[in-house]
Amino acid sequence: MKYPVEGSCQCGQVSYKLHTAPLKVVACHCTECQKLATSPYSVTAIVAAEAIEFTGEMKQWCRVAESGNTNCAKFCPTCGNRVYHYNPDDPSTIKLKLKSKNEAGDEVFEPKAHLWVSEKLSWYDVPEGIKVFDKQP
């Protein structure tokens, strides 16, 4: 894999350069991620904060998760695309939400596990051989 991998929001106002591989990539089936993605699940790449750089203006929205942790979302104020999530109590990692601009990113952002399958839509089947977790591992 050749780095950096680059991506942007839908309108292009916010962009990123990811300089190293994600720590992990997961598909989350929780109700909140279904709302976020407007699909059966949301793909998230957990990356080291120092391994990624962003350009463009972002706005922020925060909520308290079921775990009791604060989950903040950064998003593009122009097109509304989520860019990443983070826990303000642990700024060492971020949860990147954007797809890359190049085909190489397809490989980088392939989920290796499916989380919150206890809230999975009944008509979606998780691929065989993938790790699954009822909730957050």
Side-chain angles (χ1 to χ4, degrees):
M1 174 57 50
K2 188 173 182 176
Y3 289 90
V5 171
E6 298 181 18
S8 70
C9 63
Q10 196 168 9
C11 73
Q13 191 272 131
V14 177
S15 62
Y16 72 84
K17 284 186 183 181
L18 177 62
H19 297 283
T20 62
L23 303 170
K24 61 184 161 184
V25 180
V26 299
C28 183
H29 296 265
C30 78
T31 304
E32 290 298 317
C33 280
Q34 290 173 19
K35 289 178 190 177
L36 163 68
T38 65
S39 72
Y41 58 88
S42 175
V43 176
T44 301
I46 311 299
V47 301
E50 72 268 358
I52 193 164
E53 60 184 283
F54 296 97
T55 59
E57 177 190 352
M58 291 185 265
K59 296 258 182 176
Q60 178 171 290
W61 172 77
C62 298
R63 70 176 180 86
V64 176
E66 184 178 289
S67 65
N69 291 330
T70 299
N71 187 28
C72 293
K74 293 284 194 171
F75 62 95
C76 174
T78 303
C79 68
N81 272 160
R82 279 299 159 91
V83 178
Y84 68 91
H85 293 175
Y86 73 99
N87 178 342
D89 293 330
D90 180 13
S92 64
T93 60
I94 65 163
K95 302 168 215 163
L96 183 64
K97 305 304 285 183
L98 295 176
K99 185 183 182 315
S100 68
K101 292 180 187 176
N102 51 2
E103 289 180 24
D106 289 351
E107 177 185 321
V108 171
F109 299 118
E110 179 182 355
K112 303 298 183 203
H114 284 246
L115 315 178
W116 284 92
V117 295
S118 59
E119 296 183 6
K120 177 181 78 61
L121 297 178
S122 62
W123 50 264
Y124 178 79
D125 294 321
V126 175
E128 286 190 38
I130 298 287
K131 291 180 189 173
V132 295
F133 300 91
D134 278 347
K135 294 194 174 197
Q136 193 74 26

